[in-house]
Amino acid sequence: MIKITKRAELPKRQEYVIRAIAILFSLICAGLVIAILGFNPLAVFQQIVLGALGTELRIQQTIVKAIPLIITSLGILVAFKMKFWNIGGEGQIIMGAFGATLVALNIPETLATPLALTAMAAAAIVCGGIWAFIPAIFKAKFGTNETIFTLMMNYIGIKWVTFLQYGPWKDPASQGFPKIANFTPNAVLPSLFGVHIGWIFALVLVALVYIFINHTKKGFEITVVGESIETARYAGMNINSVIITSMLISGGLCGLTGMIQASAIERTLTATLSGGYGFTAIITTWLGRLSAPIIMVVCISFAILLQGGAYLQIAMAVPAAVADMIQGIILFFVLGSEFFLTYKLSFSGIQSRKKEVA
């Protein structure tokens, strides 16, 4: 009989070994699938790496994909640390972009770029925070299911922006095409070393979130509430305040991602702006073990996989479905390793039979 029990905390060395084995098995399995489909596995993996890191331009594109993943994952981290399952990253990104666009479309072109971008970032953080605050207040006051609530908020946010895109904010100069006007130059994030300065935001936020979670009173309260609400209540913590504060921060960070994507990438507002980053960030946050520095490494690795997979379609005429399949196989094994990091299997029936024979 197989018995599943929760592990005590694993030694770091054993944790690394389990992860390495999972990655090795994922590559072997992905290689077998690639070979069955008639491609050379080694050539495919080589092209993935070259597609993500082979030239300066490709490295820049990989970083561009990593930036929204990192910042959104940090937002998800704050909520997940409290065991508030925020699945609403997509909607919070969209609403953050909406707030930034609301400012961008109404500021004068003569306003200094730093002031314009600061106002846009502030509006994005506020709108993203409000979008996360709504399910938080319902959770705190009425005990609603935050998973379903935040998930449904995604679709409301997307449909709201779609309405604006096809209706009130439709650009008259777009010749009937459902498009919101482009941002003026002072509302566009500048670049540094060939990549928009969102990468600086990402690095700074990794440090700030790490300090907040590990070295502040509010971060400690969030961790305690996540581990045991009863313990937090016994210690005199205001549970509702902790829930609302953490979700405001979580939604605000996701909203900032929306501002960066709207300003630096799209240079306007679109209903598809979030690009699935809100859902992908759930995976990278779990893989990062709710640790800001590890999350950054995981997000960069995932961005390499995304960029390399996109390049693979061009370099080897590999169908998009195959590239997605490779990503899925690797994720399946890596996420599966989390089970063995948290639980251990014991075969009690075999052990008891051995004792009977003895």
Side-chain angles (χ1 to χ4, degrees):
M1 180 180 176
I2 300 175
K3 185 179 180 181
I4 301 173
T5 55
K6 194 166 185 178
R7 291 182 183 272
E9 189 171 346
L10 275 176
K12 290 293 181 183
R13 184 176 179 181
Q14 192 172 346
E15 184 179 323
Y16 295 147
V17 169
I18 292 175
R19 289 183 182 278
I21 291 172
I23 293 171
L24 178 62
F25 273 107
S26 71
L27 293 176
I28 292 172
C29 186
L32 289 173
V33 172
I34 293 167
I36 291 171
L37 293 173
F39 298 99
N40 183 335
L42 294 178
V44 168
F45 289 137
Q46 182 183 32
Q47 290 301 321
I48 288 175
V49 175
L50 288 175
L53 305 172
T55 66
E56 184 178 344
L57 179 60
R58 293 172 195 168
I59 293 172
Q60 290 170 357
Q61 289 303 307
T62 300
I63 295 172
V64 165
K65 287 181 172 62
I67 291 167
L69 263 182
I70 292 171
I71 299 176
T72 306
S73 298
L74 293 174
I76 300 294
L77 156 66
V78 176
F80 278 15
K81 196 73 176 177
M82 190 188 58
K83 288 187 170 59
F84 188 107
W85 310 120
N86 180 14
I87 314 299
E90 286 280 297
Q92 291 150 26
I93 291 171
I94 282 287
M95 294 308 292
F98 160 73
T101 304
L102 183 63
V103 172
L105 296 180
N106 291 282
I107 56 174
E109 292 187 37
T110 54
L111 184 66
T113 297
L115 292 177
L117 293 175
T118 300
M120 290 168 62
I125 291 170
V126 169
C127 288
I130 290 173
W131 212 243
F133 171 80
I134 297 171
I137 196 69
F138 273 82
K139 173 72 173 181
K141 297 296 183 182
F142 308 110
T144 56
N145 186 308
E146 71 275 12
T147 303
I148 297 174
F149 206 131
T150 52
L151 181 63
M152 293 301 101
M153 294 288 286
N154 289 334
Y155 302 106
I156 296 172
I158 292 169
K159 293 303 179 183
W160 167 246
V161 171
T162 302
F163 164 70
L164 294 176
Q165 189 174 333
Y166 281 79
W169 285 10
K170 183 177 175 182
D171 185 8
S174 64
Q175 299 179 345
F177 189 76
K179 181 182 181 299
I180 296 171
N182 288 335
F183 292 174
T184 53
N186 64 335
V188 175
L189 278 175
S191 297
L192 184 64
F193 303 124
V195 181
H196 64 79
I197 61 171
W199 66 269
I200 298 178
F201 295 173
L203 292 177
V204 170
L205 287 170
V206 166
L208 290 178
V209 169
Y210 176 81
I211 293 169
F212 172 73
I213 292 293
N214 295 283
H215 299 287
T216 66
K217 180 184 176 183
K218 187 59 70 175
F220 173 74
E221 289 178 349
I222 289 172
T223 303
V224 172
V225 169
E227 291 175 353
S228 172
I229 289 180
E230 293 306 317
T231 301
R233 187 175 287 115
Y234 181 77
M237 297 179 186
N238 188 330
I239 308 299
N240 290 349
S241 173
V242 173
I243 291 174
I244 291 170
T245 301
S246 65
M247 281 303 288
L248 284 171
I249 295 171
S250 178
L253 288 173
C254 293
L256 183 61
T257 299
M259 176 266 178
I260 291 171
Q261 292 299 100
S263 175
I265 306 300
E266 302 292 341
R267 303 193 177 185
T268 185
L269 176 64
T270 68
T272 58
L273 173 142
S274 55
Y277 287 117
F279 293 122
T280 306
I282 297 169
I283 299 171
T284 52
T285 303
W286 273 119
L287 290 177
R289 306 284 286 180
L290 303 185
S291 168
I294 300 176
I295 281 173
M296 181 178 69
V297 175
V298 170
C299 288
I300 293 172
S301 302
F302 205 88
I304 290 172
L305 194 59
L306 291 175
Q307 175 63 21
Y311 176 78
L312 194 62
Q313 300 170 40
I314 302 170
M316 297 185 66
V318 174
V322 174
D324 292 339
M325 191 187 306
I326 294 170
Q327 295 169 16
I329 291 170
I330 293 173
L331 281 175
F332 174 80
F333 278 91
V334 174
L335 286 171
S337 70
E338 297 296 311
F339 174 84
F340 295 99
L341 292 171
T342 308
Y343 300 95
K344 64 179 179 179
L345 304 179
S346 56
F347 301 89
S348 56
I350 295 174
Q351 291 175 354
S352 61
R353 284 174 191 166
K354 286 182 179 178
K355 289 180 181 177
E356 288 174 7
V357 172

